[in-house]
Every structure is written in structure tokens, then in C-alpha cells.
Amino acid sequence: MSSFAERCGIHDAAREQAVARVGRLLEAQGLELVRFAWCDLHGFQRGKTLVASAAAKAMREGVGMVSTLMLKDTSDRTAFKVFEPGGTASLPGFGFANNLLLLADPDSFRQLPWTPSTGWLRAQPYFEDGTPVELDTRRVLQRALAKLDAAGLAMKCGLEVEFHIYRIDDARPQLDPMEADWPGPPPAVSLVHPGYNLLAESWYDLAEEPLRIVQHTAQALGLPLLSLEVELGPSQVEAVFDATDAVTAADNMVLFRNAVKMALRRAGYHATFMCRPPFPNIMSSGWHLHQSLVDGRTGRNVFRREQPAPGTDGSHAGHTLSTLGEQYLAGLLAHARGMAVFCTPTANGFGRFRPNALAPQSVLWGRDNRGAMLRVVGACGDEGTRIENRIGEPAANPYLYLASQVHAGLDGIARGLKAPPATDAPYAGAGERLPTSLGEALAALESDAVLCEAFGRGFIDYFTRIKRSEQQRFDAAEDRDAFQRREYFARF
């Protein structure tokens, strides 16, 4: 009888060899547990932990997962009435908290560096009839990249991730059963550096202990970490990663966020990828996504231009970017408002879009301009020529963030769009404004027919319903700071 993985159409001789290889590694390294992890709509890792002897069978037959995990808002409340008639009518295959099955990729196996005798595998969900769950956000990105592949192109991404690390002063309020709530309270914390001294070596020295944990964790997991930096805000830091293909970049972001939070927590620190932690005098954190397209066969950067286009100067995109690169840039601009909720998906993150804050406020591009939404980096003949999108917050689901770039950019290419002149005054009031709230961003997405078609109306309806649950609770909160402390700071 065939295995579940075979019935799903993903198991062949090569995968069977990979499963056997993982089994040998578990035995050789004396591992006792294996975590089967999956990324949810909000970028959280969830999953189940199996004893090592059960891992090989689970890679062939799947691991059961309640389907409501795909229907949760950021508070972990189910946004669909799964036990009422018609409550999941818009979600074929879902209903009554039925079962899904996680199938792990054996090639994703890693040994976790912060916990003893434990392995880890990345998994994706399937229905019990063997069909893939298309609402899974990793599949959303895979479908977007398939469109690029059909055009002979691939995406390359580099990550710059700002976040905050705090020392936990007292974990008891968070773990006191008398304080338990839904969501629960955040930990009491203090700073690891006082801030307002950008890239100061003395501040780095103050924060070196937790940053060493970040370094060792990332490197032990095989992530392409390049640098760790002290950012401007109190307790704010940044991690920079080398460029990879798009799926690997998104996978790395999910793994990095969850891994450093767990590793730091064990050492008495609280890492948060919340954009604006709930304290006075903080600085917002961004996730700056560097992206380029490459020839799918040769790997050549197709944004690169050898000579400026005739009749152009520095204000023209064609002075640096190829024709295709300019079209891609123009597509990102054309769909900036619609894509915003995939790049900044929390009610908290929209507070970042303010003047003179090294964050965008309007739909503009600039040449090496960190106040613009899109920053063109590079020069003619430079293989590193790329576009940096500065709209993202570090809490974003990376699969959706990257997919939104692909769909917007491909539309610009398909329509042969031209970019407007570069800005040299990103906060002067020119340009269409980015959304200023989660509700406005959701409305902008729903009015963007191209993005709705590209993602699929079923996915858009699913996504917006869950995010509106979050937005409505935020709007109704009597104390929005308390809401954000529990909803975001304690978890993100």
C-alpha cells in the first residue's frame, strides 16, 4: 500500500533516500526529539514534537494538525465559525475543526543548537485526500515564483532585519497563573543598550551577550548571516543576511525569528519583532527587502544595465536599471497601497510611516534614498544592482511579503510600465500616501484588482477576514497600548 506522501505526489526514490538519511542522522547524533514545524498566516512557527523513533514514519505518513490553526487571528482566536452550518462555506476542505496532515521536507532537517538532542523539520499541510492546502502561505509564494519561472526568471533576495532585544527582569507576571489571559501578559523587561548612538561600539559591547546568542544560533542553523549591528533606538539591533533565492530567503526569515526568540528566552532575554514596542521614546523597526530578478538559466542579474539609457540622468530609472528593472520598479509603485498589508500586516506597524523617520510615508522611489519607499541601489555594470523595499515590518509573513513583490513587479513588466522621476524630497508631501491603518490597508488590497486576481480571490477573502478580526478588536480596545503589549509584544 502506498504511503500518504506518495498519494500526495511528492514521494519518490530521492525523497525516500532523504528520509533514510535523516533517520541515520538521528541515530548517529543520539537525538531524542524532532519538531515538525509549519509557518502560519502570521509568520509564527507551529508544529508538533515527535520522539525520534517516530520521525521517519511521520515523514511518509504525515503528522495530524487541527485545521483551525489556519483560521486564527493574532490573538489565536478562530476567525471562522467552524461549528456553525455554513461557517466555513468559503473554505472547501475546512469545517468542524477537521484534521490536516503535515508532511515534512527531509532536506530541511537541522539540529537545534539551543536545546539538547532535538532535530527540526519544515513541513507543509495537506488535506487527508492528499491534495495540498493552497491557503498555506509558503504555497502562495511558490505559485508566485512559478509565474516568474514561466517567464524564464527567478528572484534573489537579501534581508535586513531590525528588531529589539530586552533583558527579562521578572518572568513571573507572564507565567503567574493568576495573570493568565487571552492573550497573556508580556514579560517585565529592561534595555540591553540605551540607544540614540547609532553603531556605537560601546553600545554593541553592552549588548554583546545577547547578540552572541543571535550569532551562534543563526550560524549553527546554517543561515547566511553577514553582520549584527546596534541600531538607533533603545535596545534596537539589526541582522543582515546575504542574498539567496526567494524561497530560501523566506524560509530563513521564519526560522531566524523563531529560533532567536527561543534561544534568547532560555538565556533570560526577550526578542521582539514587533515594529513599535509599547514604550516611550522607541524607534520603529523595519524589514528592508533587497530584491532583484535573475535569468533563470544563467543567473545573470536582469536588473543590471551596462550603460545609461540615452537621454537619461540620475532622476530616471533607466539611468541605472534595465528596461525590465524599470518596469518591475513601476509595478511595485503601482501596487504599493495594495501590497502594503502583506508588508506591514499588524495594526501596530502603521505607526512607522511618519516623516523623517528613515521609513517611507509616500509611494515614491529614490536613488540610494533611505526616505523613499523604494531605494534603487547600484550603478551601471554593477551585478549587485537591486531594489530595496523599505515598506516592510519585521513581523510580516515573509512568504506573503515576497509574493506581493513578485505579483506587483510582474504586472509592471506585463504592462510595460515606466517609473516616474526619482524623488529627492521623500517627505515633502508629493506622491500618493501609504495606508495609515490596518483597515485602510485591507481596503486598499481589496480595491487592487490585479493583486486580488494574482493571489486568488479565495485567498484574499480568507486573509482579509482574519486580519479584520484583529483590526476590529484593536479598534474596540479601550487601552490600545495594553492591547499591543499583549497581542504583539508578548508574542511577536
Side-chain angles (χ1 to χ4, degrees), residues 1-9 11 60-61:
M1 183 176 177
S2 61
S3 68
F4 180 69
E6 287 174 310
R7 296 196 297 277
C8 291
H11 197 76
R60 299 183 183 98
E61 301 297 341

Side-chain angles (χ1 to χ4, degrees), residues 241-387:
F241 295 86
D242 202 2
T244 66
D245 68 273
V247 170
T248 298
D251 289 341
N252 288 347
M253 181 65 170
V254 173
L255 181 56
F256 174 74
R257 284 191 309 211
N258 286 275
V260 300
K261 283 180 69 69
M262 289 185 279
L264 285 166
R265 177 74 192 215
R266 287 183 175 231
Y269 295 96
H270 178 68
T272 179
F273 293 83
M274 175 184 185
C275 178
R276 295 179 56 77
F279 305 112
N281 303 317
I282 55 91
M283 296 293 291
S284 301
S285 288
W287 169 12
H288 306 144
L289 179 63
H290 293 254
Q291 56 193 295
S292 61
L293 298 185
V294 299
D295 185 290
R297 183 176 55 85
T298 66
R300 178 183 60 86
N301 184 347
V302 298
F303 283 4
R304 170 178 165 173
R305 176 180 283 281
E306 295 304 323
Q307 298 293 332
T312 63
D313 58 33
S315 67
H316 296 92
H319 197 72
T320 301
L321 293 173
S322 68
T323 299
L324 185 143
E326 177 178 0
Q327 293 167 348
Y328 186 94
L329 173 74
L332 296 181
L333 292 170
H335 299 288
R337 284 179 54 81
M339 74 165 68
V341 74
F342 293 124
C343 311
T344 295
T346 70
N348 171 265
F350 291 91
R352 176 170 163 261
F353 301 150
R354 57 181 63 189
N356 303 305
L358 289 174
Q361 186 180 31
S362 302
V363 181
L364 299 167
W365 77 276
R367 188 174 309 282
D368 200 8
N369 187 328
R370 285 181 168 85
M373 182 190 118
L374 300 175
R375 172 180 171 236
V376 173
V377 185
C380 287
D382 182 356
E383 189 62 18
T385 298
R386 60 197 184 274
I387 298 169

Side-chain angles (χ1 to χ4, degrees), residues 44-69:
F44 287 125
Q45 272 190 4
R46 302 178 186 259
K48 289 192 174 181
T49 301
L50 278 62
V51 297
S53 60
K57 180 180 179 181
M59 282 185 275
R60 299 183 183 98
E61 301 297 341
V63 177
M65 177 184 90
V66 61
S67 63
T68 54
L69 284 177

Side-chain angles (χ1 to χ4, degrees), residues 34-118:
V34 181
R35 298 182 185 180
F36 284 66
W38 161 74
C39 177
D40 74 3
L41 183 68
H42 310 289
F44 287 125
Q45 272 190 4
R46 302 178 186 259
K48 289 192 174 181
T49 301
L50 278 62
V51 297
S53 60
K57 180 180 179 181
M59 282 185 275
R60 299 183 183 98
E61 301 297 341
V63 177
M65 177 184 90
V66 61
S67 63
T68 54
L69 284 177
M70 295 195 68
L71 311 180
K72 302 288 189 182
D73 67 11
T74 48
S75 73
D76 228 46
R77 290 173 170 84
T78 303
F80 291 78
K81 299 183 183 299
V82 298
F83 295 112
E84 294 186 8
T88 55
S90 63
L91 301 172
F94 288 81
F96 309 110
N98 62 313
N99 217 34
L100 305 174
L101 289 167
L102 292 173
L103 276 175
D105 176 4
D107 290 331
S108 69
F109 177 79
R110 289 169 167 86
Q111 183 172 350
L112 298 182
W114 67 85
T115 184
S117 306
T118 303

Side-chain angles (χ1 to χ4, degrees), residues 64-183:
M65 177 184 90
V66 61
S67 63
T68 54
L69 284 177
M70 295 195 68
L71 311 180
K72 302 288 189 182
D73 67 11
T74 48
S75 73
D76 228 46
R77 290 173 170 84
T78 303
F80 291 78
K81 299 183 183 299
V82 298
F83 295 112
E84 294 186 8
T88 55
S90 63
L91 301 172
F94 288 81
F96 309 110
N98 62 313
N99 217 34
L100 305 174
L101 289 167
L102 292 173
L103 276 175
D105 176 4
D107 290 331
S108 69
F109 177 79
R110 289 169 167 86
Q111 183 172 350
L112 298 182
W114 67 85
T115 184
S117 306
T118 303
W120 178 92
L121 289 160
R122 183 185 59 251
Q124 288 183 261
Y126 289 77
F127 293 112
E128 289 187 318
D129 66 0
T131 57
V133 180
E134 297 296 343
L135 296 178
D136 173 53
T137 57
R138 192 170 190 266
R139 286 200 175 90
V140 171
L141 176 59
Q142 289 169 326
R143 290 196 300 273
L145 295 173
K147 293 182 179 181
L148 268 184
D149 183 65
L153 300 169
M155 188 184 199
K156 192 172 182 180
C157 297
L159 313 180
E160 290 184 9
V161 188
E162 297 170 346
F163 60 108
H164 290 78
I165 301 174
Y166 297 91
R167 180 175 283 104
I168 298 174
D169 289 337
D170 189 349
R172 285 176 296 177
Q174 191 175 33
L175 300 177
D176 185 344
M178 299 300 292
E179 296 289 331
D181 203 346
W182 191 358

